[in-house]
Amino acid sequence: MTQELSQQIEPNNIPKHVAIIMDGNGRWAENHGQMRVYGHMNGVDSVREALEAATELKVKHLTLYAFSTENWNRPKEEVDALMELLVDTILKEIDKLHKNDVKLSAIGALNSLPNSCQTTLQTAIDKTKNNQGTNLILALSYSGRWEIKEAIKSIVDDATKGTLTSDDINEELITSYMQLNNVPDPELMIRTSGESRISNFLLWQIAYSELYFTETLWPDFKKADFFKAILAYQKRERRFGLVSKQIK
Ligand code: FPP
């Protein structure tokens, strides 16, 4: 079935950037009579599947919401387990990622992550920085409002220094102060687990993104599900505020 789906995909209309809100790990674990962390551990397999699917389709940028600013408020055991899982996963996968030409990067308040996490992440980012394949971007200790707040602070700092004035402020300039300034806005945003919310993810960048919501819980989200999301995207008509006739 996975191959049948991939064959239906139009290769000339692949999004350059797909963003995913990976949700439902806790419920998946509960459905299996297990602790929440078991859901996160199985969620890592779905990360691998999504990355493989993106690479196969030549989606250039894949941004995953792995840990939000709000996630710090979860019970300490769960936060610690997630940080440990992140370190273990990077250590385990880094050689394969590098071999597959994947470039790893991260957005968010990375300096608020535990030291072991920062070091492992930075080593992996440095190792893969010249790779030309899929750009895997992990959002860690990230939220859209946090990113916008940081951008405003930097803009005000530069205005105070006199390097810019209010006349210089336009959408392009604001984008240049965002963490994802080198990456095109996501054409497609996917959220799993039946929730229809944005939950503070990439608020600036999703102005014109197609939103795709699926009931599937993240640990059950496999390559075929990624292909289904791309097929749904290809059926949409992206009008950017114009009327249908103008874009035909
Ligand atoms: C949301 O499910 C998921 C998370 C907060 C963490 C996502 C992390 C992973 C998939 C594993 C680590 C990732 C990488 C990149 C190695 P939830 O816990 O909110 O589920 P629930 O809504 O059912 O409670």
Side-chain angles (χ1 to χ4, degrees), residues 22-28 36 40 43-44 47 64-66 71 74 78 82 85-86 89 138 193 218:
M22 311 181 287
D23 196 14
N25 293 351
R27 276 162 285 167
W28 187 92
R36 295 179 57 82
H40 298 315
V44 174
V47 169
L64 303 178
Y65 207 4
N71 286 154
R74 290 193 174 194
E78 185 173 344
L82 271 168
L85 185 61
L86 187 73
T89 306
L138 300 181
S193 92
W218 179 250

Side-chain angles (χ1 to χ4, degrees), residues 43-242:
V44 174
D45 291 339
S46 300
V47 169
R48 207 177 292 112
E49 296 250 346
L51 178 61
E52 278 175 22
T55 303
E56 210 171 298
L57 296 180
K58 300 198 168 57
V59 171
K60 185 70 185 166
H61 312 278
L62 179 67
T63 303
L64 303 178
Y65 207 4
F67 194 85
S68 71
T69 309
E70 292 77 17
N71 286 154
W72 288 115
N73 298 323
R74 290 193 174 194
K76 187 178 178 315
E77 313 87 78
E78 185 173 344
V79 171
D80 290 349
L82 271 168
M83 293 300 152
E84 205 179 309
L85 185 61
L86 187 73
V87 171
D88 290 352
T89 306
I90 294 175
L91 291 174
K92 208 165 117 215
E93 303 284 337
I94 185 61
D95 287 339
K96 196 171 137 208
L97 290 177
H98 189 43
K99 199 169 123 244
N100 291 338
D101 211 16
V102 171
K103 177 177 170 179
L104 183 74
S105 57
I107 54 171
L110 304 180
N111 56 7
S112 64
L113 298 172
N115 283 340
S116 62
C117 205
Q118 287 187 47
T119 316
T120 311
L121 191 62
Q122 200 51 55
T123 309
I125 291 172
D126 290 343
K127 186 176 171 109
T128 60
K129 69 173 191 288
N130 295 320
N131 287 351
Q132 303 289 317
T134 315
N135 183 14
L136 174 63
I137 305 161
L138 300 181
L140 293 164
S141 190
Y142 172 88
S143 74
R145 286 186 175 180
W146 169 84
E147 186 187 22
I148 293 168
K149 177 201 74 182
E150 290 296 311
I152 292 172
K153 279 168 81 168
S154 303
I155 290 171
V156 170
D157 282 348
D158 286 348
T160 311
K161 277 187 235 147
T163 52
L164 59 84
T165 74
S166 62
D167 289 340
D168 297 318
I169 297 179
N170 53 36
E171 291 186 12
E172 214 182 338
L173 177 119
I174 297 172
T175 300
S176 75
Y177 279 83
M178 293 287 165
Q179 289 212 316
L180 278 182
N181 59 3
N182 292 320
V183 173
D185 289 344
E187 296 94 327
L188 173 64
M189 172 170 297
I190 300 171
R191 181 175 189 146
T192 58
S193 92
E195 311 289 352
S196 314
R197 288 189 291 275
I198 297 302
S199 295
N200 215 348
F201 194 34
L202 304 180
L203 296 179
W204 177 258
Q205 297 85 351
I206 59 161
Y208 285 103
S209 301
E210 294 296 330
L211 306 179
Y212 177 84
F213 299 106
T214 169
E215 294 291 324
T216 306
L217 302 176
W218 179 250
D220 287 330
F221 191 90
K222 301 297 169 200
K223 251 177 162 182
D225 301 284
F226 190 94
F227 293 154
K228 276 187 208 161
I230 301 290
L231 282 166
Y233 163 81
Q234 293 191 333
K235 290 200 179 79
R236 309 257 180 106
E237 181 186 69
R238 307 190 72 215
R239 289 200 294 273
F240 303 97
L242 303 178

